[in-house]
Amino acid sequence: MITGIKGVRIRRAAAVVGVGALLAGGALTAPAQAATAPSVSAKGAFMLNSATGSTLYSKYADTKRPMASTTKIMTARVVLSTPDLNLDRKVTIKQAYRDYVIAKGASTADLKTGDKVTIRQLLHAMLLPSGCDAAMALADTFGTGTTTSARTKSFISKMNAKADTLGLTNTHFDSFDGNSTQNTNYTTPRDLAKLARSAMKYSTFAGIVKKPKTVQYATTSTGGTRTYTWYNTNQLLGSYSGAIGVKTGTNTPSGPCLVFAATRNEKTVIGVLLNDQYRYTDAAKLLDYAFGTSSASTMQLRTLPKGAQRD
């Protein structure tokens, strides 16, 4: 069921591909050029007004689904809410982080064993190339316990506690990066949009996820300098005018996922697409709907360089 403007329910006829959106009980004015909401291929979708939290679009918004690497939004959210956080604190990369991504066949920032990187750099490494090695490093650093296993489990508990605090009643984490261990790493489009809205209030997070690329320098174990170049897996950046984030995610149970955000004319919207093979064009269509524009049909998708991580 998709909910239509002003809360009017629209049932799908056999020949109609789902149309509909809702505007928080009709409290907002529909975009000027958007008489009809677009249809999207996503199994679940949701879009909200970042300033007010009001709903702009909803498709199976409360159905639980796996979320792949969009999980890392919560990993970052937990880190950034740590009391007395020092973003310039340095962390030494362990071989265990590299072993983990090899064992999982996971996306990686290719962090080198022995390198000393800052928390800020680990956030870049996790959120741009979707490095699961960086996610593990953060979980290991900010969890509690005497072993890496204990600390990462502790960190996942913090993720679930934060979900409770944020009122994400249909969300649960069993991993720090979206590589589910028990098939209990799930969320809903509505919850994930609420999480993204919360994370985007942190200037550090918002500043990172809008970057198409970053170059970072780390100290090696021998005292030298290593250059890391990371490209953002979110191809909406640099493709859709006004796009400012947020995070991709793809794995076998989840399908292609995208949390996206854009600002035009001082209006910011945040959206979620879960299991959508056309996630970028669908995101552009939803953004056009929100802004009353028509740029999706001519959007040229930014290509990633050869060798860059895909997610």
Side-chain angles (χ1 to χ4, degrees), residues 93-95 97-98 101-102 106-115 117 122 125-126 129-135 218 226-230 307 309:
I93 300 305
K94 299 177 182 178
Q95 181 62 35
Y97 308 156
R98 293 181 63 82
V101 296
I102 291 170
S107 52
T108 176
D110 197 23
L111 297 171
K112 303 299 186 183
T113 303
D115 280 8
V117 298
L122 285 174
M126 177 177 71
S130 201
C132 295
D133 45 355
R226 193 184 312 281
T227 302
Y228 286 102
T229 302
W230 295 313
Q309 291 292 299

Side-chain angles (χ1 to χ4, degrees), residues 125-149:
M126 177 177 71
L127 294 169
L128 269 69
S130 201
C132 295
D133 45 355
M136 185 177 184
L138 289 167
D140 189 23
T141 300
F142 288 92
T144 56
T146 57
T147 65
T148 294
S149 176

